[in-house]
Structure formats: structure tokens, C-alpha cells
Amino acid sequence: GKGTGLGLSMAYGIIKQHHGYINVYSEVGKGTVFKIYLPLVTSAVSREAAQAEAERSIPRGSETVLVAEDDQSLRLLAKTLLEEYGYRVIEAEDGEDAVRKVRENQEQVRLLLLDVIMPRLDGRKAYEEIKKLQPGIKALFASGYTEDLLSIKDILDQGLDFIQKPMRPFDLLVKVRTILDQ
């Protein structure tokens, strides 16, 4: 076949970038051997150590977050995680419950974590009601439904914050802290 002739030069460049070198041995009728030498890494960072370091770098919080999620296990998971990082959490089972809880704790709630799809009152409608009570409230919407693309698109078009479920704990904590610091 025909090639562009760039394969070996690209390989050479990559090897050099990593402080290595390449030897080529070739004999007519016998073939060619390429030996690539790369420096030995003297210390290894395990995935667990890297994750632990990243988790230590997550700023803790003390603000109150209202978590509105109709799935009890997901609500408990978010509550446990946020509390572990210093946040105070108020739980709501659905959108109507979220509006009621904000009314009762209006001076305390700084962020809403709202599931997009919930019974009785969805996350977007609950947010609109809560904004009437507390105009400057910050919100993070979450959804795992691909069928709900229209609602998610509307949330994104409005410039609102969104996180896809399932979410990694690290991603949730970073997103929450980022929104609160805006």
C-alpha cells in the first residue's frame, strides 16, 4: 500500500517528547526491528491516591442546600454526600414539597438541587415558584432521562446549571461549590 510517510516521524516525535529514543535494525531479506526505549518512572501514583488528593482539594461548604428528588435513595445519597462536606441539607420529596420547604426556611436556603422530572410539580416549575419567594436563589438541575430532552434543552437555553444523572460525587461537589461561589 501507499502511505503518507508520516508514521515513523510521528512516532519518533512522540517518543522524543517522552524523553525516549528509538533504534532501527534492518537487513535486506530479513526485515526490520524497531526498539523503543522510554525512561523508567520511579514513582507511581495510584488511581486511588489521585482521587483522594482531588477529594481533599474540594472546598467544603456551610451553606444550606435544598435537595428535591423523588427517588428516596438518590435523595439520601445527595444528602449524605453534601453533609459530609459541611453543607446543611433540607430534603424535599417533590416540587410541591420543595416550594413548601423553601417557604419555611426562606432565609437559610442558598441553593436548590432539583430533579427535572418529579411528581406533582416538576423541577423547573418548582424553581419558578421559589424564585417568586427568593428572586436570587441559585439552582442546579439534574436528570437522568433522555426522554426529557426538551426540558433539559430549555434549562440549558435559559443558562441554568445542569448535571446529568448518574453523577459522580466529585462532580456534584465541584458543581455545587462553583455555583455557590458565582
Side-chain angles (χ1 to χ4, degrees):
K2 294 184 180 181
T4 62
L6 294 174
L8 184 55
S9 65
M10 289 177 68
Y12 177 79
I14 292 168
I15 292 164
K16 282 300 192 186
Q17 285 177 338
H18 291 89
H19 308 290
Y21 61 96
I22 183 169
N23 284 339
V24 181
Y25 304 95
S26 184
E27 288 186 43
V28 177
K30 293 201 174 190
T32 305
V33 174
F34 292 88
K35 290 189 176 183
I36 299 170
Y37 299 91
L38 296 169
L40 180 65
V41 176
T42 57
S43 66
V45 176
S46 71
R47 182 180 177 106
E48 293 81 16
Q51 180 70 22
E53 178 61 32
E55 287 174 3
R56 280 194 297 274
S57 68
I58 298 171
R60 298 177 61 79
S62 59
E63 297 91 344
T64 299
V65 178
L66 181 128
V67 176
E69 168 64 61
D70 58 318
D71 183 313
Q72 183 180 2
S73 61
L74 292 176
R75 191 172 62 245
L76 179 61
L77 182 65
K79 178 184 190 297
T80 303
L81 177 66
L82 290 167
E83 286 179 344
E84 184 178 325
Y85 279 82
Y87 298 95
R88 182 170 175 265
V89 177
I90 298 172
E91 296 178 73
E93 297 176 357
D94 57 40
E96 283 184 6
D97 192 28
V99 174
R100 185 173 42 259
K101 298 273 175 80
V102 168
R103 258 192 209 108
E104 295 167 2
N105 300 280
Q106 197 167 342
E107 298 300 316
Q108 299 168 6
V109 178
R110 293 292 168 257
L111 176 70
L112 306 170
L113 175 55
L114 300 166
D115 186 11
V116 173
I117 301 295
M118 293 185 285
R120 300 193 331 197
L121 191 63
D122 68 40
R124 181 59 195 252
K125 289 177 185 166
Y127 174 64
E128 295 302 326
E129 289 295 314
I130 292 168
K131 274 191 354 183
K132 292 175 188 172
L133 301 169
Q134 198 171 339
I137 191 78
K138 297 175 181 185
L140 174 58
F141 292 89
S143 181
Y145 289 102
T146 54
E147 306 92 48
D148 190 39
L149 290 176
L150 291 176
S151 292
I152 294 168
K153 184 179 179 330
D154 181 46
I155 286 167
L156 296 175
D157 286 346
Q158 295 292 317
L160 299 170
D161 291 291
F162 176 77
I163 191 165
Q164 183 73 41
K165 290 193 277 185
M167 59 193 93
R168 289 183 21 218
F170 177 81
D171 295 337
L172 176 61
L173 290 166
V174 168
K175 193 88 166 171
V176 164
R177 187 71 259 154
T178 300
I179 293 168
L180 285 167
D181 289 345
Q182 291 175 348

